[in-house]
Amino acid sequence: MPGGNEPRSYYVGMDVGTGSVRAALVDQRGTLLAFADQPINQWEPQFNHHEQSSEDIWAACCVVSKKVVQGVNLHQIRGLGFDATCSLVVLDKQFRPLPVNPEGDSRRNIIMWLDHRAVSQVHRINETKHSVLQYVGGVMSVEMQAPKLLWLKENLRETCWDKAGHFFDLPDFLSWKATGVTARSLCSLVCKWTYSAEKGWDDSFWKMVGLEDLVTDNYSKIGNQVLPPGASLGSGLTPEAAKDLGLPPGIAVAASLIDAHAGGLGVIGADVKGHGLACEGQPVTSRLAVICGTSSCHMGISKNPIFVPGVWGPYFSAMVPGFWLNEGGQSVTGKLIDHMVQGHAAFPELQAKATARGQSVYAYLNSHLDLIKKAQPVGFLTVDLHVWPDFHGNRSPLADLTLKGMVTGLKLSQDLDDLAILYLATVQAIAFGTRLIIEAMESAGHSISTLFLCGGLSKNPLFVQMHADITGLPVVLSQEVESVLVGAAVLGACASGDFASVQDSDGRLLPLIWWKVQSRLEMASERLAVPRTSAPVVAAAQATALPSSPSPGLPSLQPHHPSFIQVSAFELCDLG
Ligand SMILES: Nc1ncnc2c1ncn2[C@@H]1O[C@H](COP(=O)(O)OP(=O)(O)O)[C@@H](O)[C@H]1O
Ligand SMILES: O=C(CO)[C@H](O)[C@H](O)COP(=O)(O)O
């Protein structure tokens, strides 16, 4: 492992979320030196149809990559890793974008992960009760790839299905675009495509659901070469991709991870010694990583497979090698908060006041709640207003895409106080959803004592505090707020050969080894710098008592004493 006085090596991590592409430059000690982001386009041509463009996403990758390596000696860049949302990218036999819409707009060649067009297809797939469904929580989600493929075959046969040469999960599209290698990551195929790490593809599933043509082709269109995340691809970065990204040709490029899995890898093994947390000294299987962005993903690992009804998995080696993964999820969380806030009559007033104060609307709302709560705990502000958060169906644990959202307790007034309270009730409802997922995982055999949050929503202190209050579990945040990007950079570091794998021989995860030796944080440029805490912060435990259950079907809560802890740095952690 490099270190000490050796010349610096750099790795580039690239994270493609739903709303933007982010890149980071990380050195061999795990220090995040530069960060850049760039928004990406989304189209919603019909209700429940969500599309993107692979060319637009690649162009955004090129912008952020060039920004983070500005001023750096390119010869010291040794590896590149990608993570991304699991949207479906469609290319023709010459690798050109193919339209996934009846309008024939070939810019829009991605069916996004949150697209719910394939409802009839997923019902029929679930009616087969095929044994592969056991490994996705018992019920396949409309957000997975098989129903979307069937939709394309049944609805766009001539314009798309017959012409298609390659169906990629977005993380695998990116690694192909960078290297020309069509090998898929074990992570994406296992989690979204029914591939088994132990048994490979199951021909009988694809034949039973009406996609036998994929089998006849020996899976060449969806992947017949599968590599573990972090494995080096082909001859590395092609000259063409190198020119696009502003990186040196030939540097190592890794097999990718899904975004939630990169975040999970980045945070799950943190050493929290000294904070008196229940998980100190317990195996890593007592932790739940929650990656909260547009959606929230709840990643729990185990040594043996655990079958949790309505929770995806168990997936072998899909996040931490050698461990089984269960992935709970809420399809819209950040998107739901934005929807509720932006759709409210008082939003223009909120925006004007937040801008005048130089704050984000969330920071403004949080301080407004502090003002109006007076002496009572903030949670009591929603005694009469409750939200059911399944505006886009329920991913886990109810696994019911037909569910809808609900608000009860509305009044005729629509002022800023009402908006702030609705925002709070939405955040609480999302936290109750996390609690339901944890309860389902525990009923099936998981034992979870601590939450590790990352993603855009973890920058919102109210969201973090409500998760601690409502689950009754302590929440740990890493000092490095861009934990998902650290996970992506880990992949590049592994592919470069500088580190043998994402784990060392004792099973310790690379981010932990990095942070053990990290002594200080540096920034390449103030302009690109990500704000972070400069010192460890251990917030006082807040005994925020909550009103009774805000949503039908949820148990009522007793007051409890949760804690919210921010650790300063990661250290070595025994995964055993
Ligand atoms: N500084 C912030 N404070 C509060 N909430 C934030 C902040 N930044 C982002 N968010 C929330 O996080 C969500 C986006 O998270 P992000 O991880 O960027 O999403 P994605 O990976 O899906 O593109 C937004 O919908 C917003 O609600
Ligand atoms: O299904 C997924 C992970 O398994 C999606 O990639 C995820 O839910 C979307 O991620 P984000 O909210 O970060 O955009």
Side-chain angles (χ1 to χ4, degrees):
M1 185 197 313
N5 295 323
E6 286 174 42
R8 263 184 156 175
S9 300
Y10 299 116
Y11 313 101
V12 175
M14 201 93 75
D15 168 35
V16 179
T18 300
S20 64
V21 174
R22 280 84 56 162
L25 182 76
V26 174
D27 74 5
Q28 80 269 28
R29 299 180 180 191
T31 308
L32 195 145
L33 301 164
F35 168 87
D37 63 356
Q38 176 81 5
I40 46 180
N41 288 315
Q42 297 179 46
W43 288 267
E44 194 179 347
Q46 297 177 40
F47 177 63
N48 269 339
H49 288 227
H50 296 265
E51 296 172 2
Q52 281 182 321
S53 156
S54 62
E55 293 198 338
D56 174 57
I57 289 175
W58 182 252
C61 290
C62 297
V63 170
V64 289
S65 170
K66 285 177 182 149
K67 278 189 183 168
V68 295
V69 300
Q70 257 170 31
V72 166
N73 180 348
L74 294 185
H75 293 109
Q76 288 169 259
I77 299 176
R78 299 195 31 83
L80 168 65
F82 293 97
D83 72 70
T85 61
C86 3
S87 299
L88 178 68
V89 184
V90 187
L91 303 181
D92 72 9
K93 295 177 178 80
Q94 284 77 45
F95 294 95
R96 292 173 306 211
L98 267 180
V100 294
N101 45 73
E103 300 84 74
D105 180 353
S106 60
R107 256 182 329 161
R108 289 152 37 203
N109 69 321
I110 298 182
I111 303 184
M112 291 180 70
W113 61 272
L114 77 168
D115 185 295
H116 281 194
R117 71 181 67 181
V119 172
S120 141
Q121 288 74 15
V122 82
H123 283 322
R124 280 178 275 138
I125 289 172
N126 282 319
E127 275 164 13
T128 66
K129 302 213 179 304
H130 192 281
S131 58
V132 296
L133 302 177
Q134 284 170 33
Y135 289 86
V136 290
V139 185
M140 180 167 285
S141 163
V142 69
E143 294 172 8
M144 291 183 171
Q145 308 298 17
K148 289 172 176 159
L149 291 171
L150 193 54
W151 187 93
L152 288 174
K153 184 172 177 181
E154 292 178 349
N155 292 275
L156 298 178
R157 179 136 201 165
E158 281 167 23
T159 54
C160 181
W161 184 258
D162 288 344
K163 291 184 179 167
H166 310 273
F167 298 102
F168 284 105
D169 220 89
L170 184 53
D172 295 328
F173 163 81
L174 294 166
S175 60
W176 163 74
K177 186 81 181 160
T179 62
V181 176
T182 58
R184 307 307 206 267
S185 161
L186 185 71
C187 175
S188 42
L189 287 198
V190 166
C191 298
K192 305 292 164 166
W193 299 73
T194 73
Y195 187 86
S196 159
E198 291 155 319
K199 298 182 211 146
W201 292 116
D202 187 328
D203 295 355
S204 67
F205 169 73
W206 296 102
K207 289 177 183 164
M208 195 180 270
V209 302
L211 291 171
E212 59 290 332
D213 16 6
L214 298 175
V215 184
T216 316
D217 265 1
N218 190 28
Y219 300 102
S220 65
K221 289 183 183 169
I222 62 171
N224 52 19
Q225 195 198 350
V226 188
L227 294 171
S232 177
L233 293 170
S235 309
L237 197 62
T238 62
E240 192 188 352
K243 194 161 163 248
D244 286 353
L245 295 167
L247 298 174
I251 59 164
V253 180
S256 310
L257 275 170
I258 298 169
D259 54 355
H261 302 61
L265 184 66
V267 298
I268 202 164
D271 189 331
V272 291
K273 266 194 229 90
H275 293 296
L277 287 172
C279 67
E280 187 178 332
Q282 284 182 4
V284 74
T285 50
S286 69
R287 298 158 178 223
L288 189 73
V290 191
I291 297 81
C292 322
T294 303
S295 64
S296 290
C297 301
H298 307 70
M299 322 297 281
I301 58 176
S302 57
K303 284 222 156 142
N304 296 308
I306 300 179
F307 293 85
V308 190
V311 171
W312 295 346
Y315 301 132
F316 186 61
S317 275
M319 188 173 85
V320 179
F323 281 79
W324 291 83
L325 169 72
N326 285 107
E327 178 182 350
Q330 294 164 287
S331 291
V332 288
T333 53
K335 189 175 173 69
L336 178 63
I337 294 170
D338 296 347
H339 175 81
M340 297 299 251
V341 170
Q342 289 165 14
H344 197 276
F347 180 65
E349 183 190 346
L350 167 67
Q351 232 182 351
K353 288 187 165 160
T355 308
R357 255 201 226 162
Q359 280 184 322
S360 74
V361 290
Y362 315 106
Y364 190 94
L365 284 172
N366 293 352
S367 56
H368 193 75
L369 285 168
D370 270 342
L371 272 183
I372 61 178
K373 79 181 173 63
K374 304 205 173 77
Q376 64 182 344
V378 73
F380 278 104
L381 286 172
T382 53
V383 169
D384 295 323
L385 186 84
H386 308 309
V387 172
W388 179 264
D390 292 332
F391 283 54
H392 198 51
N394 181 285
R395 197 192 273 182
S396 310
L398 306 176
D400 184 347
L401 70 88
T402 67
L403 288 185
K404 305 280 186 288
M406 184 161 59
V407 183
T408 67
L410 293 171
K411 299 180 292 181
L412 276 177
S413 64
Q414 282 192 301
D415 61 18
L416 198 49
D417 289 3
D418 297 307
L419 168 51
I421 292 169
L422 181 65
Y423 156 76
L424 171 63
T426 305
V427 171
Q428 287 176 328
I430 291 166
F432 269 100
T434 290
R435 176 173 159 158
L436 277 185
I437 289 168
I438 293 169
E439 286 171 357
M441 291 177 78
E442 295 203 313
S443 306
H446 282 276
S447 174
I448 290 156
S449 67
T450 312
L451 306 183
F452 292 73
L453 259 57
C454 63
L457 282 170
S458 68
K459 296 173 192 164
N460 182 342
L462 181 83
F463 185 89
V464 174
Q465 187 66 57
M466 286 300 129
H467 275 69
D469 290 353
I470 288 169
T471 63
L473 296 174
V475 176
V476 176
L477 304 177
S478 74
Q479 183 177 8
E480 180 42 75
V481 292
E482 298 300 335
S483 306
V484 182
L485 274 170
V486 172
V490 162
L491 298 175
C494 291
S496 72
D498 292 346
F499 298 85
S501 121
V502 301
Q503 285 173 297
D504 72 3
S505 52
D506 295 327
R508 292 172 298 198
L509 292 173
L510 180 49
L512 315 177
I513 296 162
W514 271 356
W515 281 313
K516 172 73 174 172
V517 295
Q518 177 176 318
S519 56
R520 69 192 179 93
L521 295 163
E522 296 174 31
M523 292 295 163
S525 133
E526 281 300 312
R527 195 169 51 82
L528 298 176
V530 184
R532 72 194 69 229
T533 52
S534 55
V537 179
V538 181
Q542 292 188 13
T544 310
L546 287 162
S548 59
S549 165
S551 310
L554 288 169
S556 68
L557 283 179
Q558 298 303 315
H560 48 264
H561 302 274
S563 57
F564 155 35
I565 291 180
Q566 186 158 3
V567 288
S568 61
F570 290 102
E571 293 178 82
L572 292 174
C573 167
D574 187 358
L575 287 179

